[in-house]
């Protein structure tokens, strides 16, 4: 049975690869793509999304969303993805154009039309938080909310405590995590170490010699340099494609458990940090001031702790080989 996906993205180089994976998935219909400022300013992210959709020969509607976080100035990741977000490769202007409607309208209307759809977020959660402010019943219409964000341990790629997507707009992140979505958290750490694409694997993908294979590697040219400076990991980390792989095939997440989780939004030291109640203590009376009335609630954030790396890479490589 065909599954309906709605993807929210701050389209830079790893987002673009994740979009290709969804657009090429045989049993998935991407009903809409909503764009949020994050890696790059909104206009550039919209352009990158349109370029990627066009490269796949599709005509999926792309809706512009928030130009900045709810209550903070935007801090982008051009240092990582390049000024254009796609490795400064000078890709041409897409001929496709964005929809005139706002991303929030698209999120609310699409979930009305396709209740139970899978919502995959690849960027800051500003659009989702704005949609929740408009319609608090949104979580009831979302079958799965798969968030690329956070880390399920205290490490960060933008601060020592936080991952970029949840750090950019921590107020929005808190709003979304406090809402009772059926949330699946795919943390940045899952894209590291053996999940990175080695240089041999990147050369293998280039040798597929398909337009999508060349694009997927070339547009990550600055990201691979930045990634190795940042982590020293052996190759290119692709957090959004990891999250998309879990969205496309839930079995790729090999270890998951459900917990209460909250986002820090007040302290600059831990801004955007995901605090996961692994031992189930948030319901204790001494935690009520912070964690509220979660004591009698079943936790709703499902944390992915491990992925099947070979299965992730097979899905990615098959997509690009056939592209
Ligand atoms: O921290 C990695 C995340 O931030 C990825 O989604 C990347 O595209 C950026 O949005
Ligand atoms: Ca992203």
């Amino acid at each position: 049975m065909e599954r309906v996906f709605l993807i929210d993205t701050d389209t830079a180089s790893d987002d673009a690869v994740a979009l290709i994976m969804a657009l090429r998935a045989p049993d998935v219909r991407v009903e809409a793509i909503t764009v949020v400022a994050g890696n790059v300013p909104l206009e550039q992210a919209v352009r990158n999304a349109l370029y990627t959709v066009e490269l796949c020969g599709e005509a999926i509607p792309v809706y512009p969303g928030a130009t900045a976080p709810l209550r903070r100035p935007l801090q982008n990741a051009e240092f990582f993805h390049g000024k254009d977000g796609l490795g400064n490769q000078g890709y041409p202007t897409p001929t496709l154009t964005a929809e005139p409607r706002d991303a929030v309208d698209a999120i609310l209307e699409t979930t009305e039309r396709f209740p139970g759809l899978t919502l995959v977020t690849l960027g800051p959660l500003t659009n989702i938080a704005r949609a929740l402010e408009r319609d608090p019943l949104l979580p009831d219409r979302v079958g799965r909310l798969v968030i690329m964000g956070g880390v399920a341990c205290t490490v960060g790629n933008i601060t020592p405590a936080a991952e970029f997507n949840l750090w950019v707009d921590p107020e929005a992140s808190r709003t979304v995590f406090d809402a009772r979505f059926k949330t699946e958290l795919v943390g940045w750490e899952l894209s590291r170490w053996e999940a990175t694409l080695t240089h041999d694997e990147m050369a293998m993908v280039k040798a597929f010699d398909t337009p999508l294979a060349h694009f997927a590697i070339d547009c990550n040219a600055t990201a691979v340099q930045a990634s190795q400076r940042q982590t020293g990991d052996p190759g290119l980390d692709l957090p959004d494609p990891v999250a998309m792989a879990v969205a496309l095939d839930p079995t790729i997440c090999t270890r998951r458990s459900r917990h209460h989780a909250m986002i820090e939004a007040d302290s600059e030291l831990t801004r955007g940090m995901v605090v996961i109640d692994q031992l189930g203590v948030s319901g204790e009376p001494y935690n009520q001031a912070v964690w509220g009335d979660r004591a009698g609630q079943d936790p709703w954030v499902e944390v992915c702790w491990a992925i099947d790396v070979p299965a992730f890479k097979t899905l990615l490589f098959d997509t690009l080989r056939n592209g």
Side-chain angles (χ1 to χ4, degrees):
M1 178 180 163
E2 192 175 58
R3 295 175 291 162
V4 177
F5 272 37
L6 168 57
I7 302 171
D8 191 72
T9 169
D10 61 339
T11 323
S13 48
D14 64 323
D15 302 71
V17 178
L19 290 177
I20 290 168
M21 293 168 71
L23 293 168
R24 279 287 186 270
D27 63 339
V28 164
R29 185 168 88 245
V30 178
E31 188 60 30
I33 294 171
T34 54
V35 186
V36 63
N39 282 315
V40 289
L42 178 71
E43 184 180 350
Q44 183 67 56
V46 168
R47 174 189 165 121
N48 294 346
L50 291 167
Y51 181 81
T52 305
V53 169
E54 193 165 281
L55 190 69
C56 290
E58 302 286 346
I60 308 293
V62 173
Y63 297 89
T67 57
L70 297 178
R71 292 200 286 275
R72 296 167 183 258
L74 174 65
Q75 291 177 273
N76 65 48
E78 292 173 1
F79 68 90
F80 193 93
H81 295 280
K83 182 147 183 58
D84 68 358
L86 295 180
N88 298 327
Q89 298 292 309
Y91 295 114
T93 302
T95 56
L96 288 178
T97 55
E99 300 299 314
R101 304 293 304 282
D102 176 81
V104 172
D105 294 333
I107 291 167
L108 297 181
E109 289 165 11
T110 306
T111 53
E112 292 281 2
R113 287 169 50 219
F114 299 96
L117 62 68
T118 295
L119 171 56
V120 183
T121 69
L122 305 176
L125 296 174
T126 315
N127 288 341
I128 314 306
R130 288 172 60 219
L132 269 171
E133 287 166 2
R134 279 259 303 275
D135 180 357
L137 297 180
L138 174 62
D140 298 343
R141 302 196 301 274
V142 175
R144 294 170 67 200
L145 169 62
V146 180
I147 293 177
M148 189 282 125
V151 283
C153 56
T154 306
V155 68
N157 64 357
I158 193 74
T159 73
E163 173 278 332
F164 178 78
N165 284 341
L166 301 192
W167 171 83
V168 165
D169 193 344
E171 286 79 11
S173 301
R174 171 174 283 181
T175 297
V176 172
F177 273 73
D178 285 353
R180 284 161 177 67
F181 284 104
K182 293 174 266 315
T183 297
E184 297 172 47
L185 180 64
V186 182
W188 170 70
E189 77 283 5
L190 297 175
S191 68
R192 296 192 58 190
W193 303 298
E194 70 280 358
T196 62
L197 262 58
T198 65
H199 290 282
D200 287 349
E201 287 170 332
M202 286 186 272
M204 175 192 72
V205 170
K206 285 285 282 182
F208 294 162
D209 200 24
T210 65
L212 295 184
H214 284 299
F215 173 68
I217 301 303
D218 295 348
C219 78
N220 278 286
T222 56
V224 69
Q225 304 299 331
S227 168
Q228 296 195 313
R229 279 198 307 275
Q230 181 181 63
T231 64
D233 289 351
L236 168 64
D237 68 340
L238 289 170
D240 290 343
V242 168
M244 186 59 72
V246 171
L248 294 168
D249 178 356
T251 65
I252 285 179
C253 178
T254 55
R255 189 157 56 85
R256 54 175 79 214
S257 54
R258 205 180 295 274
H259 302 276
H260 286 304
M262 284 186 75
I263 305 295
E264 171 57 57
D266 302 320
S267 147
E268 278 307 309
L269 170 65
T270 51
R271 161 186 165 180
M273 180 178 182
V274 187
V275 180
I276 296 170
D277 176 19
Q278 297 192 50
L279 302 181
V281 298
S282 57
E284 295 298 332
Y286 55 82
N287 284 322
Q288 183 142 33
V290 173
W291 289 79
D293 63 352
R294 286 171 168 79
Q297 316 253 358
D298 290 336
W300 56 85
V301 176
E302 191 164 81
V303 179
C304 183
W305 301 100
I307 63 166
D308 179 337
V309 170
F312 156 60
K313 291 190 173 180
T314 297
L315 176 57
L316 173 60
F317 295 157
D318 286 352
T319 299
L320 299 177
R321 184 184 297 110
N322 300 326

